[in-house]
Amino acid sequence: MESKRQQKFAGVIQEELAQIFRKEGSAYLPNTLVTITRVRVSPDLAIAKVYLSFLNSPNTSLAVNTVNAHAGEIRYKLGARIRHQVRVIPELSFFVDDTNEYVERMDQLFDKIAKERKDQED
């Protein structure tokens, strides 16, 4: 379970990264909208796992690899924004947030189960 400190720090990182991607995201991924869905921070605040969702991206794994390739540059820009608020700028690791795909898959399974029950009742 994350502490209040971790949650607050994760919120700051999420807001600042969202602004970075909104203003400069087209340099990394042209014609792609990047959304930061969640940030998880280690207890020592040195590592941040950033979960991203992509819109208009045909290949999400390629998109996240591209963002990870620019992680140092993004970290530098993040540091310039939050340097007066924190002691350590965390190492950033980017991951694909597949929550929406999971929800869709579960909905399909529930629909299939409901249909099978209905067919059995008839």
PDB file of all heavy atoms in Angstrom, residues 71-104:
ATOM      1  N   ALA A  71      13.324   8.525 -22.285  1.00  0.00           N
ATOM      2  CA  ALA A  71      13.068   8.662 -20.855  1.00  0.00           C
ATOM      3  C   ALA A  71      14.036   9.633 -20.189  1.00  0.00           C
ATOM      4  O   ALA A  71      13.637  10.405 -19.303  1.00  0.00           O
ATOM      5  CB  ALA A  71      13.116   7.298 -20.166  1.00  0.00           C
ATOM      6  N   GLY A  72      15.294   9.624 -20.583  1.00  0.00           N
ATOM      7  CA  GLY A  72      16.268  10.539 -19.996  1.00  0.00           C
ATOM      8  C   GLY A  72      15.938  11.988 -20.285  1.00  0.00           C
ATOM      9  O   GLY A  72      16.021  12.858 -19.395  1.00  0.00           O
ATOM     10  N   GLU A  73      15.538  12.257 -21.507  1.00  0.00           N
ATOM     11  CA  GLU A  73      15.160  13.617 -21.897  1.00  0.00           C
ATOM     12  C   GLU A  73      13.897  14.061 -21.160  1.00  0.00           C
ATOM     13  O   GLU A  73      13.803  15.204 -20.685  1.00  0.00           O
ATOM     14  CB  GLU A  73      14.936  13.648 -23.405  1.00  0.00           C
ATOM     15  CG  GLU A  73      14.603  14.993 -23.980  1.00  0.00           C
ATOM     16  CD  GLU A  73      14.381  14.930 -25.484  1.00  0.00           C
ATOM     17  OE1 GLU A  73      14.805  13.950 -26.131  1.00  0.00           O
ATOM     18  OE2 GLU A  73      13.766  15.867 -25.998  1.00  0.00           O
ATOM     19  N   ILE A  74      12.933  13.163 -21.048  1.00  0.00           N
ATOM     20  CA  ILE A  74      11.688  13.474 -20.340  1.00  0.00           C
ATOM     21  C   ILE A  74      11.979  13.706 -18.861  1.00  0.00           C
ATOM     22  O   ILE A  74      11.432  14.624 -18.246  1.00  0.00           O
ATOM     23  CB  ILE A  74      10.657  12.351 -20.551  1.00  0.00           C
ATOM     24  CG1 ILE A  74      10.266  12.272 -22.030  1.00  0.00           C
ATOM     25  CG2 ILE A  74       9.432  12.567 -19.683  1.00  0.00           C
ATOM     26  CD1 ILE A  74       9.491  11.032 -22.412  1.00  0.00           C
ATOM     27  N   ARG A  75      12.866  12.902 -18.289  1.00  0.00           N
ATOM     28  CA  ARG A  75      13.249  13.078 -16.885  1.00  0.00           C
ATOM     29  C   ARG A  75      13.913  14.432 -16.666  1.00  0.00           C
ATOM     30  O   ARG A  75      13.664  15.106 -15.664  1.00  0.00           O
ATOM     31  CB  ARG A  75      14.198  11.953 -16.461  1.00  0.00           C
ATOM     32  CG  ARG A  75      14.616  12.045 -15.015  1.00  0.00           C
ATOM     33  CD  ARG A  75      15.478  10.855 -14.626  1.00  0.00           C
ATOM     34  NE  ARG A  75      15.828  10.949 -13.223  1.00  0.00           N
ATOM     35  CZ  ARG A  75      17.072  10.999 -12.778  1.00  0.00           C
ATOM     36  NH1 ARG A  75      18.084  10.942 -13.616  1.00  0.00           N
ATOM     37  NH2 ARG A  75      17.302  11.091 -11.496  1.00  0.00           N
ATOM     38  N   TYR A  76      14.747  14.849 -17.601  1.00  0.00           N
ATOM     39  CA  TYR A  76      15.404  16.149 -17.505  1.00  0.00           C
ATOM     40  C   TYR A  76      14.359  17.278 -17.511  1.00  0.00           C
ATOM     41  O   TYR A  76      14.434  18.212 -16.708  1.00  0.00           O
ATOM     42  CB  TYR A  76      16.390  16.328 -18.658  1.00  0.00           C
ATOM     43  CG  TYR A  76      17.072  17.665 -18.662  1.00  0.00           C
ATOM     44  CD1 TYR A  76      18.142  17.922 -17.805  1.00  0.00           C
ATOM     45  CD2 TYR A  76      16.638  18.682 -19.503  1.00  0.00           C
ATOM     46  CE1 TYR A  76      18.767  19.151 -17.797  1.00  0.00           C
ATOM     47  CE2 TYR A  76      17.257  19.911 -19.503  1.00  0.00           C
ATOM     48  CZ  TYR A  76      18.318  20.151 -18.653  1.00  0.00           C
ATOM     49  OH  TYR A  76      18.932  21.372 -18.642  1.00  0.00           O
ATOM     50  N   LYS A  77      13.378  17.172 -18.409  1.00  0.00           N
ATOM     51  CA  LYS A  77      12.327  18.187 -18.479  1.00  0.00           C
ATOM     52  C   LYS A  77      11.467  18.177 -17.215  1.00  0.00           C
ATOM     53  O   LYS A  77      11.063  19.236 -16.722  1.00  0.00           O
ATOM     54  CB  LYS A  77      11.467  17.968 -19.714  1.00  0.00           C
ATOM     55  CG  LYS A  77      12.214  18.272 -20.998  1.00  0.00           C
ATOM     56  CD  LYS A  77      11.391  17.981 -22.215  1.00  0.00           C
ATOM     57  CE  LYS A  77      12.228  18.266 -23.459  1.00  0.00           C
ATOM     58  NZ  LYS A  77      11.531  17.999 -24.692  1.00  0.00           N
ATOM     59  N   LEU A  78      11.209  16.985 -16.693  1.00  0.00           N
ATOM     60  CA  LEU A  78      10.467  16.884 -15.444  1.00  0.00           C
ATOM     61  C   LEU A  78      11.252  17.527 -14.306  1.00  0.00           C
ATOM     62  O   LEU A  78      10.698  18.258 -13.484  1.00  0.00           O
ATOM     63  CB  LEU A  78      10.169  15.412 -15.116  1.00  0.00           C
ATOM     64  CG  LEU A  78       9.472  15.135 -13.792  1.00  0.00           C
ATOM     65  CD1 LEU A  78       8.061  15.702 -13.799  1.00  0.00           C
ATOM     66  CD2 LEU A  78       9.437  13.647 -13.511  1.00  0.00           C
ATOM     67  N   GLY A  79      12.548  17.263 -14.275  1.00  0.00           N
ATOM     68  CA  GLY A  79      13.400  17.847 -13.244  1.00  0.00           C
ATOM     69  C   GLY A  79      13.407  19.360 -13.279  1.00  0.00           C
ATOM     70  O   GLY A  79      13.424  20.024 -12.230  1.00  0.00           O
ATOM     71  N   ALA A  80      13.405  19.927 -14.470  1.00  0.00           N
ATOM     72  CA  ALA A  80      13.377  21.385 -14.598  1.00  0.00           C
ATOM     73  C   ALA A  80      12.082  21.962 -14.038  1.00  0.00           C
ATOM     74  O   ALA A  80      12.072  23.082 -13.521  1.00  0.00           O
ATOM     75  CB  ALA A  80      13.535  21.780 -16.064  1.00  0.00           C
ATOM     76  N   ARG A  81      11.007  21.181 -14.087  1.00  0.00           N
ATOM     77  CA  ARG A  81       9.715  21.665 -13.606  1.00  0.00           C
ATOM     78  C   ARG A  81       9.537  21.496 -12.100  1.00  0.00           C
ATOM     79  O   ARG A  81       8.878  22.320 -11.464  1.00  0.00           O
ATOM     80  CB  ARG A  81       8.584  20.927 -14.320  1.00  0.00           C
ATOM     81  CG  ARG A  81       8.467  21.287 -15.779  1.00  0.00           C
ATOM     82  CD  ARG A  81       7.448  20.361 -16.444  1.00  0.00           C
ATOM     83  NE  ARG A  81       6.999  20.906 -17.690  1.00  0.00           N
ATOM     84  CZ  ARG A  81       5.929  21.684 -17.821  1.00  0.00           C
ATOM     85  NH1 ARG A  81       5.196  21.968 -16.788  1.00  0.00           N
ATOM     86  NH2 ARG A  81       5.594  22.159 -18.999  1.00  0.00           N
ATOM     87  N   ILE A  82      10.065  20.411 -11.517  1.00  0.00           N
ATOM     88  CA  ILE A  82       9.780  20.118 -10.102  1.00  0.00           C
ATOM     89  C   ILE A  82      11.007  20.224  -9.207  1.00  0.00           C
ATOM     90  O   ILE A  82      10.969  19.807  -8.059  1.00  0.00           O
ATOM     91  CB  ILE A  82       9.126  18.730  -9.941  1.00  0.00           C
ATOM     92  CG1 ILE A  82      10.070  17.612 -10.349  1.00  0.00           C
ATOM     93  CG2 ILE A  82       7.823  18.651 -10.699  1.00  0.00           C
ATOM     94  CD1 ILE A  82       9.555  16.223 -10.026  1.00  0.00           C
ATOM     95  N   ARG A  83      12.096  20.793  -9.693  1.00  0.00           N
ATOM     96  CA  ARG A  83      13.338  20.794  -8.931  1.00  0.00           C
ATOM     97  C   ARG A  83      13.234  21.526  -7.601  1.00  0.00           C
ATOM     98  O   ARG A  83      13.977  21.225  -6.684  1.00  0.00           O
ATOM     99  CB  ARG A  83      14.472  21.357  -9.762  1.00  0.00           C
ATOM    100  CG  ARG A  83      14.358  22.836 -10.053  1.00  0.00           C
ATOM    101  CD  ARG A  83      15.577  23.332 -10.821  1.00  0.00           C
ATOM    102  NE  ARG A  83      15.446  24.737 -11.093  1.00  0.00           N
ATOM    103  CZ  ARG A  83      15.077  25.252 -12.251  1.00  0.00           C
ATOM    104  NH1 ARG A  83      14.837  24.442 -13.262  1.00  0.00           N
ATOM    105  NH2 ARG A  83      14.967  26.547 -12.412  1.00  0.00           N
ATOM    106  N   HIS A  84      12.333  22.482  -7.469  1.00  0.00           N
ATOM    107  CA  HIS A  84      12.196  23.216  -6.214  1.00  0.00           C
ATOM    108  C   HIS A  84      11.230  22.536  -5.247  1.00  0.00           C
ATOM    109  O   HIS A  84      11.121  22.951  -4.098  1.00  0.00           O
ATOM    110  CB  HIS A  84      11.729  24.648  -6.483  1.00  0.00           C
ATOM    111  CG  HIS A  84      12.710  25.435  -7.305  1.00  0.00           C
ATOM    112  ND1 HIS A  84      13.981  25.719  -6.870  1.00  0.00           N
ATOM    113  CD2 HIS A  84      12.606  25.969  -8.544  1.00  0.00           C
ATOM    114  CE1 HIS A  84      14.615  26.412  -7.797  1.00  0.00           C
ATOM    115  NE2 HIS A  84      13.807  26.569  -8.839  1.00  0.00           N
ATOM    116  N   GLN A  85      10.572  21.488  -5.696  1.00  0.00           N
ATOM    117  CA  GLN A  85       9.595  20.799  -4.864  1.00  0.00           C
ATOM    118  C   GLN A  85      10.122  19.497  -4.271  1.00  0.00           C
ATOM    119  O   GLN A  85       9.578  19.009  -3.288  1.00  0.00           O
ATOM    120  CB  GLN A  85       8.341  20.488  -5.681  1.00  0.00           C
ATOM    121  CG  GLN A  85       7.663  21.717  -6.248  1.00  0.00           C
ATOM    122  CD  GLN A  85       6.525  21.332  -7.179  1.00  0.00           C
ATOM    123  OE1 GLN A  85       5.880  20.314  -6.994  1.00  0.00           O
ATOM    124  NE2 GLN A  85       6.275  22.157  -8.184  1.00  0.00           N
ATOM    125  N   VAL A  86      11.150  18.917  -4.896  1.00  0.00           N
ATOM    126  CA  VAL A  86      11.625  17.599  -4.474  1.00  0.00           C
ATOM    127  C   VAL A  86      13.145  17.589  -4.363  1.00  0.00           C
ATOM    128  O   VAL A  86      13.824  18.451  -4.898  1.00  0.00           O
ATOM    129  CB  VAL A  86      11.181  16.503  -5.471  1.00  0.00           C
ATOM    130  CG1 VAL A  86       9.677  16.406  -5.536  1.00  0.00           C
ATOM    131  CG2 VAL A  86      11.748  16.733  -6.846  1.00  0.00           C
ATOM    132  N   ARG A  87      13.650  16.595  -3.656  1.00  0.00           N
ATOM    133  CA  ARG A  87      15.099  16.424  -3.544  1.00  0.00           C
ATOM    134  C   ARG A  87      15.669  15.628  -4.702  1.00  0.00           C
ATOM    135  O   ARG A  87      16.704  15.953  -5.238  1.00  0.00           O
ATOM    136  CB  ARG A  87      15.441  15.674  -2.260  1.00  0.00           C
ATOM    137  CG  ARG A  87      15.409  16.501  -1.050  1.00  0.00           C
ATOM    138  CD  ARG A  87      15.944  15.697   0.094  1.00  0.00           C
ATOM    139  NE  ARG A  87      15.634  16.402   1.322  1.00  0.00           N
ATOM    140  CZ  ARG A  87      15.822  15.937   2.504  1.00  0.00           C
ATOM    141  NH1 ARG A  87      16.325  14.719   2.647  1.00  0.00           N
ATOM    142  NH2 ARG A  87      15.520  16.635   3.554  1.00  0.00           N
ATOM    143  N   VAL A  88      14.993  14.537  -5.032  1.00  0.00           N
ATOM    144  CA  VAL A  88      15.488  13.612  -6.049  1.00  0.00           C
ATOM    145  C   VAL A  88      14.477  13.535  -7.185  1.00  0.00           C
ATOM    146  O   VAL A  88      13.285  13.360  -6.945  1.00  0.00           O
ATOM    147  CB  VAL A  88      15.696  12.206  -5.438  1.00  0.00           C
ATOM    148  CG1 VAL A  88      16.149  11.219  -6.491  1.00  0.00           C
ATOM    149  CG2 VAL A  88      16.681  12.252  -4.291  1.00  0.00           C
ATOM    150  N   ILE A  89      14.969  13.642  -8.396  1.00  0.00           N
ATOM    151  CA  ILE A  89      14.113  13.435  -9.569  1.00  0.00           C
ATOM    152  C   ILE A  89      14.123  11.934  -9.841  1.00  0.00           C
ATOM    153  O   ILE A  89      15.182  11.347 -10.051  1.00  0.00           O
ATOM    154  CB  ILE A  89      14.642  14.207 -10.798  1.00  0.00           C
ATOM    155  CG1 ILE A  89      14.871  15.677 -10.475  1.00  0.00           C
ATOM    156  CG2 ILE A  89      13.694  14.033 -11.975  1.00  0.00           C
ATOM    157  CD1 ILE A  89      13.659  16.413  -9.971  1.00  0.00           C
ATOM    158  N   PRO A  90      12.971  11.284  -9.828  1.00  0.00           N
ATOM    159  CA  PRO A  90      12.950   9.826  -9.953  1.00  0.00           C
ATOM    160  C   PRO A  90      13.327   9.330 -11.342  1.00  0.00           C
ATOM    161  O   PRO A  90      13.131  10.021 -12.341  1.00  0.00           O
ATOM    162  CB  PRO A  90      11.500   9.464  -9.627  1.00  0.00           C
ATOM    163  CG  PRO A  90      10.730  10.683  -9.981  1.00  0.00           C
ATOM    164  CD  PRO A  90      11.629  11.845  -9.701  1.00  0.00           C
ATOM    165  N   GLU A  91      13.862   8.117 -11.383  1.00  0.00           N
ATOM    166  CA  GLU A  91      14.070   7.423 -12.652  1.00  0.00           C
ATOM    167  C   GLU A  91      12.691   7.055 -13.178  1.00  0.00           C
ATOM    168  O   GLU A  91      11.836   6.579 -12.431  1.00  0.00           O
ATOM    169  CB  GLU A  91      14.894   6.150 -12.443  1.00  0.00           C
ATOM    170  CG  GLU A  91      16.332   6.391 -12.082  1.00  0.00           C
ATOM    171  CD  GLU A  91      17.142   6.963 -13.239  1.00  0.00           C
ATOM    172  OE1 GLU A  91      16.840   6.628 -14.399  1.00  0.00           O
ATOM    173  OE2 GLU A  91      18.048   7.748 -12.962  1.00  0.00           O
ATOM    174  N   LEU A  92      12.473   7.251 -14.463  1.00  0.00           N
ATOM    175  CA  LEU A  92      11.167   7.004 -15.050  1.00  0.00           C
ATOM    176  C   LEU A  92      11.184   5.732 -15.887  1.00  0.00           C
ATOM    177  O   LEU A  92      12.078   5.528 -16.694  1.00  0.00           O
ATOM    178  CB  LEU A  92      10.760   8.185 -15.939  1.00  0.00           C
ATOM    179  CG  LEU A  92      10.670   9.550 -15.260  1.00  0.00           C
ATOM    180  CD1 LEU A  92      10.389  10.633 -16.291  1.00  0.00           C
ATOM    181  CD2 LEU A  92       9.612   9.559 -14.185  1.00  0.00           C
ATOM    182  N   SER A  93      10.182   4.902 -15.668  1.00  0.00           N
ATOM    183  CA  SER A  93       9.948   3.716 -16.492  1.00  0.00           C
ATOM    184  C   SER A  93       8.523   3.805 -17.010  1.00  0.00           C
ATOM    185  O   SER A  93       7.592   4.011 -16.240  1.00  0.00           O
ATOM    186  CB  SER A  93      10.105   2.434 -15.673  1.00  0.00           C
ATOM    187  OG  SER A  93      11.399   2.338 -15.159  1.00  0.00           O
ATOM    188  N   PHE A  94       8.371   3.651 -18.307  1.00  0.00           N
ATOM    189  CA  PHE A  94       7.056   3.796 -18.926  1.00  0.00           C
ATOM    190  C   PHE A  94       6.507   2.434 -19.327  1.00  0.00           C
ATOM    191  O   PHE A  94       7.229   1.583 -19.838  1.00  0.00           O
ATOM    192  CB  PHE A  94       7.146   4.713 -20.148  1.00  0.00           C
ATOM    193  CG  PHE A  94       7.544   6.115 -19.798  1.00  0.00           C
ATOM    194  CD1 PHE A  94       8.859   6.522 -19.891  1.00  0.00           C
ATOM    195  CD2 PHE A  94       6.603   7.027 -19.357  1.00  0.00           C
ATOM    196  CE1 PHE A  94       9.234   7.810 -19.557  1.00  0.00           C
ATOM    197  CE2 PHE A  94       6.963   8.320 -19.017  1.00  0.00           C
ATOM    198  CZ  PHE A  94       8.285   8.713 -19.123  1.00  0.00           C
ATOM    199  N   PHE A  95       5.201   2.249 -19.089  1.00  0.00           N
ATOM    200  CA  PHE A  95       4.518   0.999 -19.398  1.00  0.00           C
ATOM    201  C   PHE A  95       3.182   1.305 -20.063  1.00  0.00           C
ATOM    202  O   PHE A  95       2.610   2.373 -19.855  1.00  0.00           O
ATOM    203  CB  PHE A  95       4.267   0.189 -18.120  1.00  0.00           C
ATOM    204  CG  PHE A  95       5.514  -0.160 -17.371  1.00  0.00           C
ATOM    205  CD1 PHE A  95       5.962   0.647 -16.335  1.00  0.00           C
ATOM    206  CD2 PHE A  95       6.256  -1.271 -17.716  1.00  0.00           C
ATOM    207  CE1 PHE A  95       7.123   0.335 -15.642  1.00  0.00           C
ATOM    208  CE2 PHE A  95       7.411  -1.591 -17.033  1.00  0.00           C
ATOM    209  CZ  PHE A  95       7.853  -0.783 -15.996  1.00  0.00           C
ATOM    210  N   VAL A  96       2.678   0.356 -20.822  1.00  0.00           N
ATOM    211  CA  VAL A  96       1.362   0.497 -21.451  1.00  0.00           C
ATOM    212  C   VAL A  96       0.303   0.144 -20.424  1.00  0.00           C
ATOM    213  O   VAL A  96       0.379  -0.885 -19.754  1.00  0.00           O
ATOM    214  CB  VAL A  96       1.229  -0.434 -22.680  1.00  0.00           C
ATOM    215  CG1 VAL A  96      -0.170  -0.373 -23.255  1.00  0.00           C
ATOM    216  CG2 VAL A  96       2.260  -0.079 -23.728  1.00  0.00           C
ATOM    217  N   ASP A  97      -0.678   1.009 -20.294  1.00  0.00           N
ATOM    218  CA  ASP A  97      -1.816   0.735 -19.422  1.00  0.00           C
ATOM    219  C   ASP A  97      -2.870   0.026 -20.253  1.00  0.00           C
ATOM    220  O   ASP A  97      -3.498   0.623 -21.126  1.00  0.00           O
ATOM    221  CB  ASP A  97      -2.372   2.027 -18.836  1.00  0.00           C
ATOM    222  CG  ASP A  97      -3.500   1.775 -17.859  1.00  0.00           C
ATOM    223  OD1 ASP A  97      -3.618   0.636 -17.376  1.00  0.00           O
ATOM    224  OD2 ASP A  97      -4.260   2.711 -17.584  1.00  0.00           O
ATOM    225  N   ASP A  98      -3.043  -1.249 -19.997  1.00  0.00           N
ATOM    226  CA  ASP A  98      -3.988  -2.041 -20.786  1.00  0.00           C
ATOM    227  C   ASP A  98      -5.297  -2.283 -20.030  1.00  0.00           C
ATOM    228  O   ASP A  98      -6.001  -3.246 -20.287  1.00  0.00           O
ATOM    229  CB  ASP A  98      -3.362  -3.363 -21.203  1.00  0.00           C
ATOM    230  CG  ASP A  98      -2.890  -4.193 -20.026  1.00  0.00           C
ATOM    231  OD1 ASP A  98      -2.928  -3.688 -18.886  1.00  0.00           O
ATOM    232  OD2 ASP A  98      -2.475  -5.341 -20.249  1.00  0.00           O
ATOM    233  N   THR A  99      -5.646  -1.394 -19.137  1.00  0.00           N
ATOM    234  CA  THR A  99      -6.864  -1.538 -18.349  1.00  0.00           C
ATOM    235  C   THR A  99      -8.099  -1.540 -19.237  1.00  0.00           C
ATOM    236  O   THR A  99      -9.009  -2.347 -19.032  1.00  0.00           O
ATOM    237  CB  THR A  99      -6.969  -0.402 -17.318  1.00  0.00           C
ATOM    238  OG1 THR A  99      -5.774  -0.390 -16.528  1.00  0.00           O
ATOM    239  CG2 THR A  99      -8.157  -0.584 -16.412  1.00  0.00           C
ATOM    240  N   ASN A 100      -8.143  -0.646 -20.224  1.00  0.00           N
ATOM    241  CA  ASN A 100      -9.315  -0.579 -21.104  1.00  0.00           C
ATOM    242  C   ASN A 100      -9.490  -1.868 -21.890  1.00  0.00           C
ATOM    243  O   ASN A 100     -10.614  -2.354 -22.052  1.00  0.00           O
ATOM    244  CB  ASN A 100      -9.193   0.601 -22.070  1.00  0.00           C
ATOM    245  CG  ASN A 100      -9.335   1.924 -21.366  1.00  0.00           C
ATOM    246  OD1 ASN A 100      -9.924   1.995 -20.293  1.00  0.00           O
ATOM    247  ND2 ASN A 100      -8.795   2.969 -21.963  1.00  0.00           N
ATOM    248  N   GLU A 101      -8.391  -2.431 -22.368  1.00  0.00           N
ATOM    249  CA  GLU A 101      -8.475  -3.695 -23.098  1.00  0.00           C
ATOM    250  C   GLU A 101      -8.974  -4.811 -22.184  1.00  0.00           C
ATOM    251  O   GLU A 101      -9.772  -5.660 -22.593  1.00  0.00           O
ATOM    252  CB  GLU A 101      -7.112  -4.056 -23.673  1.00  0.00           C
ATOM    253  CG  GLU A 101      -6.628  -3.091 -24.724  1.00  0.00           C
ATOM    254  CD  GLU A 101      -5.178  -3.325 -25.101  1.00  0.00           C
ATOM    255  OE1 GLU A 101      -4.596  -4.333 -24.662  1.00  0.00           O
ATOM    256  OE2 GLU A 101      -4.632  -2.487 -25.830  1.00  0.00           O
ATOM    257  N   TYR A 102      -8.507  -4.812 -20.944  1.00  0.00           N
ATOM    258  CA  TYR A 102      -8.927  -5.815 -19.973  1.00  0.00           C
ATOM    259  C   TYR A 102     -10.427  -5.686 -19.695  1.00  0.00           C
ATOM    260  O   TYR A 102     -11.148  -6.691 -19.660  1.00  0.00           O
ATOM    261  CB  TYR A 102      -8.117  -5.657 -18.690  1.00  0.00           C
ATOM    262  CG  TYR A 102      -8.500  -6.608 -17.592  1.00  0.00           C
ATOM    263  CD1 TYR A 102      -8.111  -7.938 -17.634  1.00  0.00           C
ATOM    264  CD2 TYR A 102      -9.270  -6.185 -16.514  1.00  0.00           C
ATOM    265  CE1 TYR A 102      -8.463  -8.829 -16.635  1.00  0.00           C
ATOM    266  CE2 TYR A 102      -9.628  -7.051 -15.508  1.00  0.00           C
ATOM    267  CZ  TYR A 102      -9.223  -8.369 -15.573  1.00  0.00           C
ATOM    268  OH  TYR A 102      -9.584  -9.233 -14.585  1.00  0.00           O
ATOM    269  N   VAL A 103     -10.902  -4.463 -19.516  1.00  0.00           N
ATOM    270  CA  VAL A 103     -12.325  -4.233 -19.251  1.00  0.00           C
ATOM    271  C   VAL A 103     -13.163  -4.705 -20.436  1.00  0.00           C
ATOM    272  O   VAL A 103     -14.199  -5.354 -20.253  1.00  0.00           O
ATOM    273  CB  VAL A 103     -12.581  -2.744 -18.936  1.00  0.00           C
ATOM    274  CG1 VAL A 103     -14.066  -2.423 -18.937  1.00  0.00           C
ATOM    275  CG2 VAL A 103     -11.958  -2.369 -17.608  1.00  0.00           C
ATOM    276  N   GLU A 104     -12.724  -4.383 -21.644  1.00  0.00           N
ATOM    277  CA  GLU A 104     -13.455  -4.821 -22.833  1.00  0.00           C
ATOM    278  C   GLU A 104     -13.510  -6.344 -22.925  1.00  0.00           C
ATOM    279  O   GLU A 104     -14.545  -6.926 -23.253  1.00  0.00           O
ATOM    280  CB  GLU A 104     -12.817  -4.257 -24.090  1.00  0.00           C
ATOM    281  CG  GLU A 104     -13.035  -2.774 -24.278  1.00  0.00           C
ATOM    282  CD  GLU A 104     -12.332  -2.221 -25.504  1.00  0.00           C
ATOM    283  OE1 GLU A 104     -11.913  -3.023 -26.371  1.00  0.00           O
ATOM    284  OE2 GLU A 104     -12.185  -0.996 -25.578  1.00  0.00           O
TER     285      GLU A 104
END
